[in-house]
Structure formats: structure tokens, C-alpha cells
């Protein structure tokens, strides 16, 4: 889905779903959409033509049913060097799915995340 932010992506997915399923309540559709998404990957196209992943976020619903986003990684654009995009990818938080990664044999030890905030729990 073409979107400018993780919140915009959820709104567009809800709108598309509502058009295809006449009669569903918006709040129910929103819940289905958010619960179906594990990870949102946002890309941006920079002035030099490069496309880069600029954010990884995990959507979830809080205890009140509101849509929230656990931002895991982000790209800090620092400008251009020799006509090419310059920046760095950094950790913004801890994935809510660390146990799932561990079961898959992917080691994401706490050192990987430095002093990142604790991941929110699934509502």
C-alpha cells in the first residue's frame, strides 16, 4: 500500500477493506487490519533516486483498542555525499516478536538494541 506513514497505511487499508465489505463496522475492520499486520516497512525515494527503508514499525492495539505503533528501526538521513544519499539505520525500540525470532534461530540479543525502550505487550 502506498502511504506516507504507518498510521496512513492503516487508514488506507481500512478504507480499502470497507469498500470491499459493505456492512462491516469501521472499528471492527480497523481491529482486523491492525491484528493482521506484524510489521510495516516504510520506504522513501531520495533526491538521488535511491529508495531506502526509512522505518520498521509494528502495529498493535493497546488495552483500550487504540492503534499504536512500536517503532523498531529508523533511517536518519544525513544529506548527500558525492551525489549519493548518506545516513544511518538505527534502533528505535525492541521488537515485540523477540521470542518468535529466537524460535526461528535469529539472535537479537539485548546488546543489539543497546539501551532501547522495552517493547509493548500485545493487547
Amino acid at each position: 500500500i502506498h502511504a506516507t506513514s504507518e498510521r496512513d497505511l492503516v487508514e488506507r487499508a481500512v478504507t480499502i477493506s470497507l469498500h470491499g465489505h459493505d456492512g462491516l463496522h469501521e472499528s471492527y475492520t480497523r481491529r482486523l487490519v491492525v491484528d493482521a499486520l506484524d510489521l510495516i516497512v516504510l520506504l522513501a525515494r531520495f533526491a538521488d533516486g535511491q529508495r531506502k527503508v526509512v522505518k520498521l514499525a509494528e502495529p498493535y492495539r493497546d488495552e483500550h483498542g487504540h492503534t499504536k505503533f512500536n517503532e523498531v528501526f529508523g533511517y536518519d538521513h544525513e544529506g548527500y555525499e558525492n551525489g549519493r544519499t548518506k545516513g544511518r539505520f538505527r534502533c528505535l525500540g525492541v521488537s515485540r516478536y523477540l521470542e518468535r525470532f529466537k524460535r526461528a534461530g535469529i539472535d537479537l540479543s539485548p546488546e543489539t538494541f543497546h539501551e532501547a525502550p522495552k517493547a509493548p505487550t500485545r493487547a
Side-chain angles (χ1 to χ4, degrees), residues 46 52 75-81 84-90:
F46 291 89
K52 291 193 177 286
Y75 181 75
D76 290 330
H77 183 239
E78 298 169 350
Y80 297 92
E81 187 173 286
R84 303 287 291 167
T85 301
K86 181 182 174 191
R88 64 185 182 94
F89 210 52
R90 67 181 173 93

Side-chain angles (χ1 to χ4, degrees), residues 13-33:
V14 168
T15 300
I16 290 167
S17 298
L18 287 171
H19 282 294
H21 299 285
D22 195 26
L24 285 180
H25 194 273
E26 182 180 340
S27 62
Y28 176 74
T29 304
R30 182 175 311 283
R31 189 186 80 180
L32 290 175
V33 167

